[in-house]
Amino acid sequence: MKINDQMAALVNAQVNEEFHAAHLYLAMSFQMANEGYDGFAHWFLQQYHEEIEHALEMAQYLQARSGQPQLTGVAEMPQHFGTPLELFEAAYKHECHVTEQIHKIYKHALDTSDYATSSFFKKYIDEQVEEEDSVLAIIDHLRMAGDKGIYLVNAQLGKR
Ligand SMILES: [Fe+2]
């Protein structure tokens, strides 16, 4: 059954959100690499790849339901986001925003009895719980480590 226009627009907006998140994390990765934090740069680069994967999966879902993804422009990203702790805090805030968007899509899918879409997005609801939890854990480690221990956290994240 073809996806309805309103639902398709919501899924399409999320495809673009995922690409936006990817670029945000890539810009953060570039900043960290530039400052010699290879571990943090690696972590943010992995996030970039994950977000691209999400965007493509959602676009493929839209296509499978006879919808057509439409890409919007990529916003210009800042070159400097702050300290490593501030970067992870910004990443956490962004993940919470993504969670809200996914919840809206899921709710709309249920409200309109689009069970295929609610089923597809279920895994992203679970995934967001994990995402938020893992970023919060890094924020905790950075706070505990302070300035002196920051390289330990950096080294640990390089092993991800
Ligand atoms: Fe994502």
Side-chain angles (χ1 to χ4, degrees):
M1 196 182 358
K2 187 181 187 301
I3 195 165
N4 79 46
D5 289 348
Q6 208 188 349
M7 193 74 254
L10 284 172
V11 175
N12 190 62
Q14 194 57 35
V15 169
N16 285 291
E17 278 270 1
E18 299 292 329
F19 280 123
H20 173 83
H23 279 89
L24 180 69
Y25 292 142
L26 186 59
M28 288 177 170
S29 176
F30 289 157
Q31 187 206 321
M32 290 293 91
N34 191 248
E35 293 175 8
Y37 293 114
D38 289 353
F40 297 146
H42 173 73
W43 191 90
F44 280 109
L45 190 62
Q46 296 283 104
Q47 285 299 111
Y48 163 80
H49 288 298
E50 274 187 26
E51 302 304 343
I52 293 286
E53 207 175 293
H54 297 164
L56 291 178
E57 274 177 10
M58 289 175 194
Q60 279 158 5
Y61 171 73
L62 200 51
Q63 289 177 306
R65 296 284 312 280
S66 306
Q68 188 182 339
Q70 187 178 12
L71 299 178
T72 57
V74 177
E76 191 176 307
M77 295 290 162
Q79 277 194 305
H80 199 265
F81 295 87
T83 63
L85 177 60
E86 285 168 338
L87 261 70
F88 283 98
E89 283 170 342
Y92 176 69
K93 215 173 135 194
H94 192 77
E95 287 303 323
C96 290
H97 166 72
V98 171
T99 300
E100 275 176 29
Q101 298 305 113
I102 302 260
H103 286 183
K104 272 184 206 163
I105 293 172
Y106 190 77
K107 184 176 187 312
H108 186 79
L110 289 181
D111 288 349
T112 58
S113 304
D114 185 342
Y115 301 116
T117 301
S118 60
S119 171
F120 175 78
F121 274 93
K122 165 93 177 43
K123 79 165 193 177
Y124 289 103
I125 292 179
D126 299 338
E127 179 144 342
Q128 284 306 116
V129 173
E130 275 179 39
E131 287 293 323
E132 288 180 23
D133 187 45
S134 70
V135 179
L136 272 184
I138 296 167
I139 290 172
D140 281 346
H141 290 163
L142 282 171
R143 288 199 179 127
M144 280 187 273
D147 285 348
K148 282 180 188 158
I150 195 165
Y151 281 98
L152 284 173
V153 185
N154 174 64
Q156 199 180 28
L157 291 192
K159 292 180 200 142
R160 184 192 183 196

